[in-house]
Amino acid sequence: MPRLSDSLMLSAFAQARAAEISAMLKAVAQKSSNSLVFQTLPRHMRRRAMSHNIKRLPRRLQEIAKKEAEKAVHQKKEQSKTKCRKARRRHINLVAEFNRRQRKNIWLETHIWHAKRFHMVKKWGYCLGDSPTEKCYRACYRAMTNHCLLQDLSYYCCLELSGKENELLKQLARICSIDTGLTFEEACCLSGRFEGSLNLYQADRYPEGMLGPVTFIWKPRGVSENRQLWIWMHPALKQDILRELKAIFQCTEPQDIYIPEPVTTSIQEEKQMDVVLSLGKKRKKEDKEGERAVPVKKIIGDGTRDPFQSYSWISQTTGIVISDRTMEILRYRLIGPLSHSVLTETLKAASLQTEMADSETELNNWWVENCKDSEKVSLHQRQSAIFELLEGISSPSEMPPGTILGLTVGDPRVNLPKKKTKAVPDFEKYQDNDKVRQLYLEGVPVDCAHSFIWDQDICKNVTENKISEQDLNYMRAQLLVPGSHLDLGPRESKIPILLVQQPGKMAGEDLPGWGSGWDIYLPKGWGMAFWIPFIYRGVRVGGLQEALKHSEYQRTPHTPNDFPDCQAGKQFAKELETSLLEKFKRRPPAKRANYVKLGTLSPFICPWGQLTKNWEGRMKASGESLHSPHPECCATEDRSFCDPKAEVVKEASSETGEIEETVGITSSEAVLKADDVTGTQDFGERDESMTMSDFIVLRSEKLLQQLSAWCYPTAGKDRRVRLISRLGQKEMTEDVFLPILMSYPRALVWVKLTLLRKGNPELHAMICIPTEDDLLHLSKDKLFCGPQEPKHRDIFKHKVQKLKEEKKKKKDNTKSLESDPLSVPDKETTEEHEDLILGLWSDVLPDVTSHCSRTLLGYVTRGDFSLAVGCGEALGFVSLTGLLYMLHNQPADKKGLVLLRTPASLQYRFARLNIEV
């Protein structure tokens, strides 16, 4: 036992004790509980009157009780004015509450219906249905394949451009390229007869500066020389595209800012109140302001916008006007072969009307005026005849792609069936009809593509004069025969709509036309009036996940997931990495995969920039070695460029002494790796280096057709006889593909992968090049699943353990650190290992192509078991340089064979690579 000191410093001792005494007094003065003074008395001394009569307390406690009473008076809060459930469920209060709740995230008109049946997510400023709460994965696939699936795409954004046709086309040609397919000048689309789709780029920067995919519709030509154009895009792309459009058209001056008022979906206010008083025989409940009180209105359309922002811009030089019509036009999508039956049973062409139903209102006044024009009446009759012919068509894919049909229909709520029915086609009616056959071949005439939905004044009239549900229900109750058809006559609303055919799967040879359907464009305010009748025809409703699967089975890129070269795609990748990393950290180290040992450098994000840069370095190195005086440094085995080498080296583990198979890199590749290293210690900075690097996605149709032909075997069982010559493509020689490599050194190619055997590809799975031994083994054994990746050594394990020990030591020695500041550990050592996570690569990224025993070619962005083909399918991107290298060196009967490996597995699986164009 240490000997106590003989001396004592009185000043220090007194100071320490003074602090202890003050703390003790403070603790005594404070109440240790929330009980009142009279509650501290023993039970036998308590009296009920003590709670309100202080004099009944002992005298020693009366002063304290007075202070408590005064304190309670000052701190007394007003009682919350929470209304009872009956009051909260009153319509006017419900509408006010819903308007408050959608200030941050906009609600679609079908939001309440979705919220009761779907998992809701907040994305892109909207509150959207992600997936149904019931189990319906296979049911939704069957609906898309055999019946009909309904989706609400009203969250898609619409930009309207109006002005002279020449001025519009002149500037729009700068942001698209004929090399990728259609442009705004396509004759069939320019007439307004068909919808077009294309990819937008920054002005004069193709193939760089990707903005995103859009669809567009031209208004058919009329008397005026000005044209109108709708450009529809995903909300994640809206700001970038709008900024570019304002730049090329020089629309810097906004028009007068219009502050919209919330619009009701009923008829005019005075008329509505009269109907309520006369029909319902109910007394109107007055509030404090009495009759002057303004009723709460439902927020729809432009009412969801920020009133202090401009939504229309005009160019003083060209006269072009850009208007944001987002949420002004609703958009529903019907997918499946029975979409025609659902449409024809739900919608009926509007009847002609030459007299006003009520002179006091503006209900259908625009329709009466148009019915007086014989040409417009004739046009409406032709449109109605074509619409009725749709019932005899077995699938929407039989129509010309992108067909547009304008129509004016009656109120679909009038034709609502008593209970849900399944819409079925009537083939007997139009089986041998010449008109149906003519519709197959020629499509819809140009004049029948016209619709009144282009006129904003008519849309506003239709929205404001909609008959309310209350009025309709009262009229149904007054029918002599309950449940019979309700004939509104001239009071029935007339709604202009636009029907646009969606062609479905067009690329590739299998499943032609799968996923085809129709898009329905409606004026705002009529969302639920059309939604419920569609539901009553037996359609199944899908959300965001069903839309993702729809594009996956069509094998088309999904926005914004599969557009890594545009800003929205990069943002999506960062958000996905953050969520996956947080999910990874929530699991204990023993219950999660060690990606370092599995050889997975980047399990949560695809390093596209690093991948393309490494393959470009390989190409440059091989080009230098071809001209070097030492031929032994060149690629061997008749390989002209980018020859990857990797050897399996057995090393003893420093921790256990066991021998583990690890992958080593040859010296020539080590030089490449040193030149191509990117990334930093910090995860955030490493993300920027991976995602913000300069690379492009190859979208040239001519080059993609050439690559697609080269991917097929030219010999063996799966050969395609004379495929290349039939497509008019060239044979794969160095003279043909080397110019492609020089033009696109850092390019990615969208590919489809089909597993040969069992296996289920996952997100961020690695696409690798098989070695000659792998292909030889597959030739000898048809049941060979694939090779295995040797286990890697975790080089960060000792650093993580060291950091863990330092943290533990720091925690145990907290008291000693406070007394002795000299013993604080080195901050640089702590910061050095701050970002270390067990199981993740925490250092600079090496060469991603040669890190494993099989050379990396690309990554999977979407993969799952496909119900359409009955095996695992994946979609992703590969490096153009790596793809050409692989195809050039593979045997004729093994062209297009690759290996797939999921991030959390060592097992490779054989897959067939195709490029569908």
Side-chain angles (χ1 to χ4, degrees):
M1 184 175 177
R3 184 173 176 274
L4 296 176
S5 176
D6 298 333
S7 59
L8 179 67
M9 298 294 295
L10 292 178
S11 58
F13 180 79
Q15 190 175 359
R17 299 294 79 73
E20 293 176 0
I21 292 170
S22 63
M24 181 183 66
L25 293 175
K26 186 177 180 181
V28 171
Q30 288 182 345
K31 292 175 59 177
S32 59
S33 65
N34 294 326
S35 58
L36 298 175
V37 139
F38 69 87
Q39 292 174 326
T40 60
L41 290 171
R43 290 186 179 276
H44 70 281
M45 293 180 63
R46 296 182 190 178
R47 299 292 181 271
R48 185 181 300 155
M50 288 180 179
S51 59
H52 59 83
N53 189 358
I54 297 175
K55 293 184 178 180
R56 299 299 297 269
L57 281 166
R59 289 180 180 176
R60 60 184 177 86
L61 298 177
Q62 288 183 8
E63 289 297 327
I64 302 175
K66 287 180 181 179
K67 292 180 181 178
E68 282 183 355
E70 293 174 0
K71 189 176 181 182
V73 169
H74 292 298
Q75 290 184 349
K76 188 175 183 181
K77 298 180 181 178
E78 294 184 8
Q79 292 184 356
S80 59
K81 298 179 181 179
T82 306
K83 298 179 181 179
C84 64
R85 176 175 170 79
K86 184 178 179 181
R88 292 199 308 269
R89 301 301 298 175
R90 194 172 290 135
H91 178 71
I92 189 172
N93 295 331
L94 272 181
V95 173
E97 176 66 11
F98 291 160
N99 290 346
R100 182 193 63 80
R101 285 168 57 187
Q102 56 179 312
R103 288 173 187 167
K104 291 185 179 179
N105 296 283
I106 298 173
W107 288 5
L108 306 184
E109 291 189 17
T110 58
H111 173 85
I112 301 297
W113 190 95
H114 277 92
K116 296 176 180 179
R117 299 163 179 87
F118 276 68
H119 298 288
M120 306 301 289
V121 293
K122 294 177 175 62
K123 281 189 174 182
W124 313 302
Y126 295 88
C127 197
L128 305 174
D130 188 49
S131 60
T133 53
E134 62 179 352
K135 294 182 180 179
C136 61
Y137 177 79
R138 289 177 179 268
C140 288
Y141 169 74
R142 287 195 299 268
M144 288 186 280
T145 307
N146 302 321
H147 189 239
C148 186
L149 183 85
L150 175 63
Q151 291 178 326
D152 188 354
L153 301 184
S154 302
Y155 61 91
Y156 266 63
C157 302
C158 177
L159 297 179
E160 182 180 279
L161 277 64
S162 58
K164 293 183 178 179
E165 182 179 313
N166 294 335
E167 291 290 340
L168 287 170
L169 293 176
K170 179 181 177 182
Q171 298 300 330
L172 290 173
R174 299 174 57 195
I175 59 175
C176 59
S177 173
I178 197 172
D179 194 29
T180 61
L182 293 178
T183 62
F184 290 100
E185 300 180 13
E186 191 70 27
C188 59
C189 299
L190 189 59
S191 64
R193 188 181 174 192
F194 296 99
E195 179 192 51
S197 60
L198 47 79
N199 293 310
L200 295 186
Y201 294 83
Q202 294 178 11
D204 307 321
R205 287 201 60 194
Y206 173 80
E208 299 177 354
M210 175 70 174
L211 293 176
V214 298
T215 58
F216 63 93
I217 301 174
W218 285 95
K219 181 183 178 181
R221 291 184 176 91
V223 180
S224 175
E225 62 177 359
N226 285 353
R227 297 292 304 274
Q228 283 178 262
L229 170 67
W230 282 353
I231 301 179
W232 288 85
M233 68 212 70
H234 192 276
L237 312 172
K238 176 184 172 182
Q239 294 303 323
D240 295 333
I241 294 176
L242 179 59
R243 192 182 304 112
E244 193 67 24
L245 288 175
K246 288 194 291 185
I248 62 174
F249 288 113
Q250 301 176 1
C251 294
T252 55
E253 296 184 11
Q255 287 187 334
D256 294 337
I257 298 178
Y258 168 64
I259 302 179
E261 293 182 359
V263 181
T264 58
T265 56
S266 60
I267 59 177
Q268 295 175 346
E269 295 300 328
E270 296 81 7
K271 185 70 177 177
Q272 182 179 5
M273 294 309 166
D274 294 340
V275 170
V276 172
L277 289 171
S278 60
L279 300 184
K281 303 295 182 184
K282 291 183 179 179
R283 179 172 51 85
K284 179 182 175 185
K285 186 178 179 64
E286 296 183 7
D287 58 3
K288 294 179 181 179
E289 297 183 7
E291 292 294 336
R292 295 178 299 168
V294 179
V296 179
K297 300 179 182 180
K298 181 181 178 182
I299 291 180
I300 58 171
D302 55 3
T304 60
R305 297 172 172 175
D306 185 355
F308 301 104
Q309 289 187 10
S310 56
Y311 290 89
S312 185
W313 302 266
I314 187 171
S315 172
Q316 299 297 334
T317 56
T318 59
I320 303 295
V321 178
I322 301 176
S323 303
D324 183 4
R325 298 201 65 185
T326 303
M327 295 294 292
E328 291 292 287
I329 305 295
L330 308 182
R331 182 177 175 183
Y332 294 160
R333 174 166 292 177
L334 293 170
I335 303 171
L338 299 189
S339 302
H340 288 144
S341 303
V342 174
L343 279 176
T344 52
E345 285 193 20
T346 306
L347 307 179
K348 302 298 178 184
S351 58
L352 299 178
Q353 182 181 348
T354 56
E355 295 181 359
M356 293 288 293
D358 190 350
S359 58
E360 296 181 3
T361 65
E362 297 180 357
L363 178 65
N364 297 335
N365 62 346
W366 63 275
W367 182 243
V368 173
E369 293 176 2
N370 285 288
C371 287
K372 295 177 181 178
D373 189 343
S374 59
E375 293 184 1
K376 293 183 179 179
V377 170
S378 174
L379 174 62
H380 175 67
Q381 292 173 346
R382 293 199 303 273
Q383 289 175 336
S384 304
I386 292 175
F387 179 69
E388 291 176 359
L389 290 176
L390 295 180
E391 191 177 0
I393 299 178
S394 59
S395 174
S397 60
E398 297 178 4
M399 296 286 291
T403 298
I404 297 176
L405 175 63
L407 193 64
T408 303
V409 297
D411 195 332
R413 297 173 293 177
V414 175
N415 304 319
L416 202 64
K418 295 180 182 178
K419 56 183 179 180
K420 282 188 179 181
T421 58
K422 188 173 183 180
V424 292
D426 185 6
F427 294 112
E428 296 179 358
K429 192 175 181 181
Y430 301 106
Q431 192 169 4
D432 298 322
N433 198 327
D434 293 336
K435 294 182 179 179
V436 176
R437 195 174 298 108
Q438 184 180 1
L439 189 61
Y440 283 149
L441 301 175
E442 299 178 4
V444 178
V446 179
D447 55 346
C448 291
H450 177 269
S451 174
F452 292 107
I453 199 172
W454 290 92
D455 193 330
Q456 295 189 30
D457 294 332
I458 291 179
C459 288
K460 184 178 180 181
N461 182 299
V462 170
T463 300
E464 292 177 349
N465 292 282
K466 174 189 171 188
I467 301 178
S468 65
E469 291 286 342
Q470 182 183 9
D471 298 346
L472 273 180
N473 293 333
Y474 181 79
M475 294 174 189
R476 288 193 185 104
Q478 299 301 315
L479 291 173
L480 292 176
V481 181
S484 59
H485 178 72
L486 176 63
D487 186 11
L488 296 178
R491 292 198 297 171
E492 183 180 359
S493 299
K494 310 298 187 295
I495 308 103
I497 65 171
L498 200 65
L499 301 175
V500 180
Q501 189 260 7
Q502 297 299 317
K505 188 176 184 299
M506 299 179 67
E509 299 178 359
D510 58 333
L511 303 175
W514 188 93
S516 59
W518 287 88
D519 280 6
I520 304 101
Y521 296 85
L522 316 167
K524 66 178 180 181
W526 284 87
M528 289 304 295
F530 279 76
W531 186 264
I532 297 300
F534 282 141
I535 301 297
Y536 268 71
R537 264 66 185 192
V539 301
R540 185 168 284 275
V541 181
L544 296 178
Q545 292 302 318
E546 283 68 36
L548 188 67
K549 286 298 174 185
H550 178 239
S551 63
E552 184 176 323
Y553 286 135
Q554 284 186 315
R555 296 159 191 168
T556 55
H558 189 72
T559 312
N561 311 25
D562 301 320
F563 289 86
D565 55 338
C566 77
Q567 197 61 38
K570 295 172 184 176
Q571 182 65 28
F572 174 83
K574 288 182 180 179
E575 294 174 357
L576 179 62
E577 186 204 18
T578 303
S579 63
L580 291 177
L581 184 61
E582 290 177 354
K583 184 178 179 181
F584 180 81
K585 288 179 179 179
R586 285 198 297 267
R587 300 177 69 89
K591 303 300 180 195
R592 65 191 185 199
N594 189 324
Y595 291 110
V596 179
K597 289 188 176 182
L598 295 170
T600 306
L601 290 174
S602 182
F604 306 135
I605 192 171
C606 300
W608 302 118
Q610 176 89 352
L611 177 71
T612 54
K613 187 175 181 180
N614 292 153
W615 273 108
E616 184 188 24
R618 283 172 172 268
M619 185 183 69
K620 289 180 180 179
S622 62
E624 294 173 0
S625 62
L626 286 173
H627 298 90
S628 65
H630 302 287
E632 62 273 8
C633 299
C634 302
T636 58
E637 301 177 7
D638 300 329
R639 297 181 181 179
S640 56
F641 69 99
C642 306
D643 183 24
K645 292 181 182 179
E647 57 182 5
V648 178
V649 183
K650 291 187 177 181
E651 296 183 1
S653 174
S654 58
E655 287 84 1
T656 61
E658 298 177 357
I659 296 178
E660 297 181 356
E661 284 188 341
T662 59
V663 176
I665 304 173
T666 57
S667 58
S668 61
E669 291 181 333
V671 176
L672 275 176
K673 182 179 72 173
D675 294 336
D676 296 334
V677 163
T678 60
T680 59
Q681 298 276 357
D682 183 68
F683 277 101
E685 295 180 24
R686 196 178 81 186
D687 296 348
E688 278 194 336
S689 66
M690 286 192 292
T691 58
M692 299 300 289
S693 301
D694 295 329
F695 65 90
I696 63 167
V697 175
L698 185 66
R699 296 186 176 91
S700 170
E701 286 193 346
K702 184 178 179 181
L703 291 180
L704 289 176
Q705 288 175 358
Q706 180 73 76
L707 291 172
S708 178
W710 288 343
C711 287
Y712 288 106
T714 55
K717 181 181 177 182
D718 298 328
R719 68 183 182 277
R720 299 295 178 95
V721 181
R722 296 186 299 276
L723 176 69
I724 295 179
S725 60
R726 177 165 57 87
L727 295 175
Q729 306 297 340
K730 302 175 182 178
E731 295 289 341
M732 188 174 187
T733 59
E734 290 193 7
D735 296 336
V736 177
F737 67 75
L738 281 179
I740 300 176
L741 287 178
M742 298 303 173
S743 302
Y744 302 97
R746 291 192 185 184
L748 299 173
V749 182
W750 175 257
V751 296
K752 182 208 78 170
L753 303 132
T754 307
L755 290 173
L756 300 185
R757 303 290 174 194
K758 64 180 182 178
N760 193 20
E762 296 177 3
L763 180 68
H764 300 154
M766 290 162 281
I767 308 171
C768 302
I769 302 175
T771 62
E772 291 183 2
D773 294 338
D774 297 335
L775 297 176
L776 186 62
H777 196 169
L778 181 64
S779 301
K780 294 180 180 179
D781 183 9
K782 295 299 181 182
L783 299 178
F784 178 55
C785 291
Q788 277 203 341
E789 173 71 18
K791 198 172 183 181
H792 293 236
R793 185 168 59 87
D794 190 353
I795 61 176
F796 303 101
K797 188 174 182 180
H798 67 283
K799 295 182 180 179
V800 175
Q801 290 177 346
K802 185 179 179 182
L803 178 63
K804 191 175 180 181
E805 291 174 359
E806 288 180 357
K807 287 183 177 178
K808 186 178 180 181
K809 185 179 179 181
K810 184 179 179 181
K811 187 177 179 180
D812 294 341
N813 300 332
T814 306
K815 294 182 180 180
S816 61
L817 291 175
E818 290 177 356
S819 59
D820 186 7
L822 297 177
S823 63
V824 177
D826 188 8
K827 289 185 179 180
E828 295 181 359
T829 309
T830 308
E831 292 175 358
E832 181 183 355
H833 307 296
E834 194 175 18
D835 298 321
L836 287 175
I837 301 173
L838 185 63
L840 294 181
W841 191 277
S842 305
D843 206 343
V844 293
L845 280 182
D847 187 344
V848 295
T849 59
S850 58
H851 181 69
C852 298
S853 61
R854 304 303 187 273
T855 306
L856 183 68
L857 191 61
Y859 292 95
V860 169
T861 57
R862 279 184 290 155
D864 200 357
F865 182 85
S866 174
L867 297 175
V869 295
C871 65
E873 273 197 346
L875 301 170
F877 292 95
V878 297
S879 168
L880 174 63
T881 308
L883 179 63
L884 290 175
Y885 160 76
M886 182 190 76
L887 295 175
H888 180 64
N889 294 290
Q890 278 186 332
D893 61 334
K894 302 295 182 185
K895 295 252 184 218
L897 281 183
V898 295
L899 292 172
L900 277 182
R901 182 165 73 92
T902 57
S905 173
L906 294 171
Q907 179 69 50
Y908 288 96
R909 303 281 183 187
F910 279 103
R912 171 78 59 190
L913 182 145
N914 288 321
I915 299 174
E916 294 191 340
V917 290

